[in-house]
Structure formats: structure tokens, C-alpha cells
Amino acid sequence: MQPKDRIVVALDVETPAQALSLVEQLRGLVGMFKIGKQLFTAAGPDIVRQVVGLGEKVFLDLKFHDIPNTVAAAGVEAARLGVSIFNVHSLGGSAMMRATVDAINDAAEREKFPKPLILAVTILTSHDQASLQEIGLERSIQEQVVHLAQLASASGINGVVASPREILPLRQSIDNPNFVILTPGVRPAGAALNDQKRVMTPAEAVTAGADYLVIGRPITSAENPATAAQKISEEIEQALA
Ligand code: C5P
């Protein structure tokens, strides 16, 4: 994987035109584009097809969480759209995760499409200890994250979405060097934090063991998104050298 391939740009915009403009500006400079609930709800699966049609990789960030049959079927539809990564919510449980993994394996074999990576969300970083307790989860956040990541791994899931502070504990507790860690909350030194609280620089995140970095506003709101992306690639390259 080249340094630029680790960068996943969050297309958190309202319209397909805005999304496609960013893709045009960043083609060849980053590895993937993340389409989440905002853009998907506004623009539908067509925007995924369009970005994939341009030869770009897409991470479909819809955090599927439902009964096993429904999530498995939604996952197969995501794979049919040609996404490279999609995610599920680990709180849906091992049966939901296993059903999704099995359905993707079966459909990929039957329909001859490349298997997307399936990642799990553990505990949303917007939670704190009090809001976890409120929903009846008594463990510390870190214990809960590690527990759910282990459950995901044992269910055949390829990796997790994890905040920067969770990277090291996850690398220490998941006994699989190929377990993928994708990390949002990344800010180049000196960049605006926006609403992110606990951040790492791109260099710190890859050094800690992140495979992919989800980066939105530091690139998408930059005066020159292409230059911002190139700088981040260079920072990653230096960190891994
Ligand atoms: O603009 P920014 O770099 O903050 O965008 C980060 C992206 O990663 C957003 O799409 C956000 O929803 C997502 N994300 C996050 N923190 C998480 C999980 C996802 O910022 N814990």
C-alpha cells in the first residue's frame, strides 16, 4: 500500500455535484472516498455507482445495525454497488456479523465480485462513560471497545473503525496482524480541530498502527484540497520510512 492509499476522504457534502467535484480534484492523490449517511440519504446509491465508475474506491459508511438477515442482505447490496469497504455496528452482535460475512462470501463466489472489506464500529466516539452507562453498558469505554473488536474478529469481520486513542490497545489485544484499523479524528499539525476532541496527526496514527485514515475537513475544506492531500501523504511516507 502506498502512503496515499491510506487516505480515505470523507465526502460529507449535500449534493452529488459537490461530491464529484471533490473526487475530480483528489483523483490519484488519495486511496478512497467515504460516502456516509448524509450524502447517501441525499443522493442514493447512484453517487456510489458514479464514484466507483470513475475507477475510485468507496467506503460506504452506513453502520448497518439490524436483524442478521437484513444486515446480510444490505451488505450484499453494498458489495454489488462495488464498494471496497462497508461497515456494520458490532452492537448488532455476533450472529449479525457472521451472517453478513457468510452472505458476502457466498455472493462473491456466486456473482464473481471482489469481496469488500467488512469493518465494525465498536463504541461511537461521541459516547462518554456517562452516556454508556445510560444505555446500560457498565464496562469502561476502552474495555468495551476491545471486547466488541474481539467479538467482531471472532465473527469473521476484517477490522474496526477506531478512534486514535484506541489503536494501541486494539493492536495489543487482537491476535491478528491483518486486522484492519481505520481511524477518523485525524488532524495534521496546526489544522483546525473542528468538532474533533481527541485527535492524532496522520504520522502519529500510522505509527500507532492505523491502516487507513479517514480525513474530511482538513482536506475537503482546504483552500486547495489536492495540496492538502499531498502534504498528508508526505507526512505518512516520512512516518513509515
Ligand atoms: O471532517 P473530519 O475529518 O472530522 O471527518 C471525519 C469523518 O469521520 C466524518 O465523516 C465523521 O462522521 C467520521 N467519524 C468520526 N469519528 C468517528 C467515526 C466517524 O469523525 N468516531
Side-chain angles (χ1 to χ4, degrees):
M1 196 155 55
Q2 291 179 34
K4 71 176 170 64
D5 296 330
R6 296 175 182 272
I7 303 176
V8 180
V9 175
L11 296 176
D12 293 328
V13 292
E14 290 178 5
T15 67
Q18 289 169 314
L20 292 171
S21 158
L22 282 167
V23 173
E24 282 302 332
Q25 294 175 70
L26 292 166
R27 281 181 81 170
L29 301 175
V30 300
M32 211 176 296
F33 293 94
K34 178 170 94 73
I35 295 178
K37 289 191 175 89
Q38 180 188 13
L39 183 61
F40 191 83
T41 303
D46 265 352
I47 186 61
V48 179
R49 291 191 192 98
Q50 280 176 291
V51 178
V52 170
L54 290 168
E56 297 300 313
K57 292 187 173 175
V58 170
F59 164 27
L60 187 63
D61 178 19
L62 297 179
K63 303 182 180 68
F64 296 135
H65 185 182
D66 209 313
I67 59 171
N69 186 60
T70 300
V71 171
V76 170
E77 296 303 340
R80 285 177 179 153
L81 287 175
V83 307
S84 299
I85 302 180
F86 74 90
N87 57 3
V88 301
H89 208 305
S90 61
L91 287 173
S94 62
M96 185 202 81
M97 292 190 277
R98 262 201 213 98
T100 306
V101 171
D102 290 346
I104 290 292
N105 288 342
D106 290 351
E109 170 112 342
R110 202 175 51 239
E111 300 174 25
K112 310 283 177 233
F113 56 67
K115 271 194 271 184
L117 288 179
I118 311 173
L119 302 186
V121 171
T122 57
I123 295 296
L124 295 171
T125 47
S126 47
H127 275 298
D128 58 18
Q129 205 62 52
S131 72
L132 270 200
Q133 249 180 355
E134 182 188 60
I135 57 171
L137 297 178
E138 300 289 341
R139 287 191 179 96
S140 74
I141 292 183
Q142 188 171 310
E143 282 172 345
Q144 191 66 57
V145 165
V146 166
H147 171 72
L148 289 169
Q150 284 170 333
L151 187 69
S153 180
S155 307
I157 293 286
N158 302 109
V160 286
V161 181
S163 84
R165 61 164 50 190
E166 294 158 1
I167 301 170
L168 275 177
L170 285 168
R171 281 283 174 239
Q172 283 162 0
S173 58
I174 304 278
D175 194 20
N176 170 9
N178 297 321
F179 199 66
V180 172
I181 298 183
L182 174 145
T183 305
V186 176
R187 289 292 179 267
L193 293 184
N194 312 112
D195 51 357
Q196 298 283 3
K197 292 195 184 99
R198 295 181 288 267
V199 300
M200 274 190 186
T201 65
E204 287 166 342
V206 293
T207 304
D211 298 294
Y212 295 97
L213 310 178
V214 172
I215 305 177
R217 290 160 290 181
I219 292 176
T220 57
S221 302
E223 207 166 300
N224 185 332
T227 310
Q230 273 166 323
K231 269 200 192 147
I232 293 171
S233 277
E234 283 161 20
E235 183 180 332
I236 294 171
E237 186 162 20
Q238 281 163 12
L240 295 175

